[in-house]
Amino acid sequence: MVKNMQGSPHDPVLIFKPVGDEMNGYKKIGIEEFILAIMNDAQEKLLEMYGKQCVMIDSTHGTNQYGFQMTTLMVHDENHQGMPVAILFSLRVAAEILVPFSGAIKKKVPSFKTNFLLSDGTNSFPNAWREVFGDETKHLLCAWHVMRNWNLNIKSKVVQYKEEIRIKLKKNLAETDETSFHKLISSFIETYEAKESSFVAYFQSNYINRTKKWASCYKKRQA
């Protein structure tokens, strides 16, 4: 199937590395790994049309019987409808896999630049993107991923005030006024630092020093 796509007049294959082949120039990618990346002509046009302000990248696993992870680069239109513009199938998601993926996108759309890259909290996505496209792109955290991580840690770390903390964090995340946001954060820490010390320690360690990447009040100012 891939060979047929590669032989078509509008070849959508960005990368194809079957199991058993080496990938020239990428020593950290083993011969046992499989990589397939695709961007068709329509997706290329969507990237150029809607991706100048922001692109989003996310990975999911368990979507197929082979255990491949699917990484999707997306843009959104004027109605904030997300649209995939490139897809990567790989056995793992790491910077050394994402660098050739980003490089193949740049090769296909050499003049492309975006202001913001939106992703989860891992460093693999922004590190790989910046290695290829440069440091001009600012990295922001996806609100959905932020809330999901908070919910997971509320479940595992909060003893008594689970729903109360969830509601307050959601309010903090959505607050668009910077002064009000900082008051809410200070109040949150003061209220729960003793009552739910494990969660507050996690929150302070992972999010307090990155508020400009996830708080709506800062995202609004940067947009």
Side-chain angles (χ1 to χ4, degrees), residues 5-210:
M5 287 192 293
Q6 288 179 313
S8 68
H10 301 281
D11 177 11
V13 178
L14 295 174
I15 304 171
F16 177 49
K17 184 213 159 302
V19 175
D21 283 9
E22 291 185 353
M23 193 164 179
N24 293 332
Y26 298 99
K27 294 181 179 179
K28 292 183 179 180
I29 299 176
I31 61 170
E32 75 283 357
E33 301 202 59
F34 174 87
I35 301 175
L36 173 63
I38 294 172
M39 174 192 282
N40 61 35
D41 290 346
Q43 290 174 318
E44 179 184 346
K45 290 177 182 177
L46 287 172
L47 177 63
E48 291 180 306
M49 186 181 300
Y50 294 113
K52 293 176 183 177
Q53 176 65 8
C54 176
V55 295
M56 300 152 281
I57 191 164
D58 189 25
S59 292
T60 56
H61 57 84
T63 59
N64 56 79
Q65 66 189 56
Y66 304 105
F68 296 143
Q69 297 202 46
M70 184 175 73
T71 301
T72 307
L73 183 72
M74 294 174 286
V75 296
H76 63 75
D77 62 14
E78 57 273 5
N79 297 315
H80 297 282
Q81 181 69 41
M83 298 173 290
V85 293
I87 296 174
L88 167 71
F89 295 97
S90 57
L91 289 171
R92 61 192 177 99
V93 176
E96 55 263 31
I97 304 293
L98 295 166
V99 165
F101 178 49
S102 300
I105 293 169
K106 185 173 178 63
K107 184 177 180 180
K108 191 173 182 71
V109 195
S111 62
F112 178 72
K113 289 184 179 181
T114 187
N115 292 329
F116 298 101
L117 174 70
L118 204 64
S119 74
D120 64 15
T122 60
N123 291 323
S124 298
F125 294 123
N127 288 350
W129 188 270
R130 285 170 178 159
E131 184 171 330
V132 173
F133 287 94
D135 294 330
E136 294 179 8
T137 302
K138 294 181 180 179
H139 178 233
L140 300 176
L141 298 179
C142 170
W144 185 87
H145 282 289
V146 169
M147 201 67 226
R148 184 189 67 170
N149 290 339
W150 287 349
N151 283 332
L152 289 172
N153 281 275
I154 286 170
K155 186 176 180 180
S156 63
K157 293 179 171 65
V158 175
V159 178
Q160 184 176 353
Y161 300 95
K162 286 182 168 62
E163 189 58 28
E164 189 175 302
I165 285 177
R166 185 177 291 109
I167 291 170
K168 289 190 176 182
L169 285 177
K170 192 173 182 179
K171 184 178 180 181
N172 291 348
L173 183 63
E175 178 56 59
T176 57
D177 179 77
E178 192 174 330
T179 302
S180 298
F181 168 76
H182 285 288
K183 287 180 179 178
L184 287 171
I185 289 292
S186 297
S187 174
F188 176 81
I189 292 172
E190 184 179 337
T191 301
Y192 297 106
E193 193 166 20
K195 297 176 182 177
E196 300 288 359
S197 58
S198 179
F199 181 84
V200 171
Y202 153 79
F203 181 75
Q204 289 179 308
S205 175
N206 291 278
Y207 290 96
I208 286 297
N209 64 338
R210 297 194 294 172

